[in-house]
Amino acid sequence: MKQPRTMPRSALEYSIGRPLWVAVVVLNVILAAIATVLCIWMYLQDTASMRPILGVLIAVPALWWVIAVTLWLTTLSRRRVSAEDISRASASVAGGILLPGSKLAPAMTLVAALAAASTFAVAAMTVRGAGSVVWAVFGPIVSHLISLRQPRRLFLHPRGLGSATFHLDAEVHWDDIQSIDVGVGMNNSMVLKVAVRPGAVSYRERWRHPFSRRRGVIDVDPSALGVDGTLLWLALRLYRLEPSMREELRGDRVPGRLLDARAAVATTPQQVSAPVLSVFSPESAIR
C-alpha cells in the first residue's frame, strides 16, 4: 500500500512529487549559475561588442536567480507558526482563534514579476520588437501589488470561520459548509476549498481583486498561514462534522490539534480523519 505523502505547497509539486520538484529547483539553481558564468565569459571575450547589451547580460542571469530563489522560498521552505504566535494574534480578536498569515508568497512572486518586467524592458531597449513582451507581465505585477496590501488570515470560532485572502474576505457558519476538499488555488498553490451550501444565509463575502473570478468556494491556503495543511484539513473537517468540538475555539487556548500531529490524529474520529489521512500524512513523524 502506498504511503500517503505530506501536503505539498504547489500544484506542480503535487503532480510530480516532492523529490522531482526538489530536482527542478536544484536544476534552476544550476542553470542560473551557468547563465551567470556564460554572460561573464561572453563579456570578457569581446568587451567592446558586448558593452551595448551589457544590461541584457546582467538582467538574464539575475532573472534566473530570482526565479530559483522564488521557487525555493514559496514551494520548498516550510514557515511554521507557534502556539505563541497564534495566541498573540488571537488576543486582537474576541471569541475565537486567529491564524495570522504571511506575505512571503505574494512578495516573492511580485519580485519575480518585477524582475521579468525589468529583463524584458532592458531587452526592449536593445532588441528590436521586444517591447510588446513587457505588457505580458503587467497583470501579475498589478495583481501582486494588490495582494501585498492584504495579509492572509483565518479566524475560527464556535459558529464558523472567517477567511481573508488577497482577493476575497468571506465568512460562513460551520453548518452551512457543504464540503472541505483539497484543490488548486490562485498562483497554483495547494489550498483547502471550503464549499458553501447553495443559498446559505450565514455566508458573507467581499471581493476586492479586479482580476478574480468568483467560484463559489473559500480558498484556505495552509502554507500562507504557516500550518501543516493536513492538520488544518483534519481540524476543519472535525469542526464541521462534530459540533461538540467547536467549543475549543472560544479563544481560551490554542487547540493542540492545529500544531501537534499526535494530538490531532488521536482525538479525531476515524470517520472524520480517514478521507484526509488516506491522501496526506502530517509532516511530523507519527510513531
Side-chain angles (χ1 to χ4, degrees), residues 2 13 24 36 82 85 127-129 134 162 166 168 173 184 186 191 195 204 211 227 240 244 250 255 267 272 281 287:
K2 187 177 179 180
E13 183 185 345
V24 169
T36 302
S82 64
D85 296 328
V127 181
R128 190 172 183 179
V134 178
F166 74 93
L168 171 69
H173 288 179
V184 180
M186 300 189 72
V191 300
R204 299 285 185 275
F211 305 145
V227 295
R240 171 184 171 250
S244 62
R250 291 206 173 275
T267 58
V272 175
S281 61
R287 294 180 175 85

Side-chain angles (χ1 to χ4, degrees), residues 57 144 186 211 215 247:
L57 294 179
H144 289 283
M186 300 189 72
F211 305 145
R215 293 170 292 176
E247 290 302 307

Side-chain angles (χ1 to χ4, degrees), residues 16 29 44 81 95 98 103 126 128 141 163 179 210 237 241:
I16 67 177
V29 172
L44 294 178
V81 296
L98 180 63
K103 293 183 179 180
T126 55
R128 190 172 183 179
I141 290 174
S163 172
S179 63
R237 277 182 55 84
L241 298 174

Side-chain angles (χ1 to χ4, degrees), residues 238 245 248 257 261-269:
L238 179 68
M245 299 302 298
E248 67 182 27
R257 69 181 69 260
R262 290 178 180 273
V265 174
T267 58
T268 304

Side-chain angles (χ1 to χ4, degrees), residues 267-281:
T267 58
T268 304
Q270 186 176 9
Q271 67 270 20
V272 175
S273 64
V276 176
L277 298 181
S278 63
V279 180
F280 299 117
S281 61

Side-chain angles (χ1 to χ4, degrees), residues 182-197:
V182 68
V184 180
M186 300 189 72
N187 303 322
N188 290 315
S189 59
M190 296 299 295
V191 300
L192 300 176
K193 291 190 169 291
V194 179
V196 179
R197 298 186 189 279

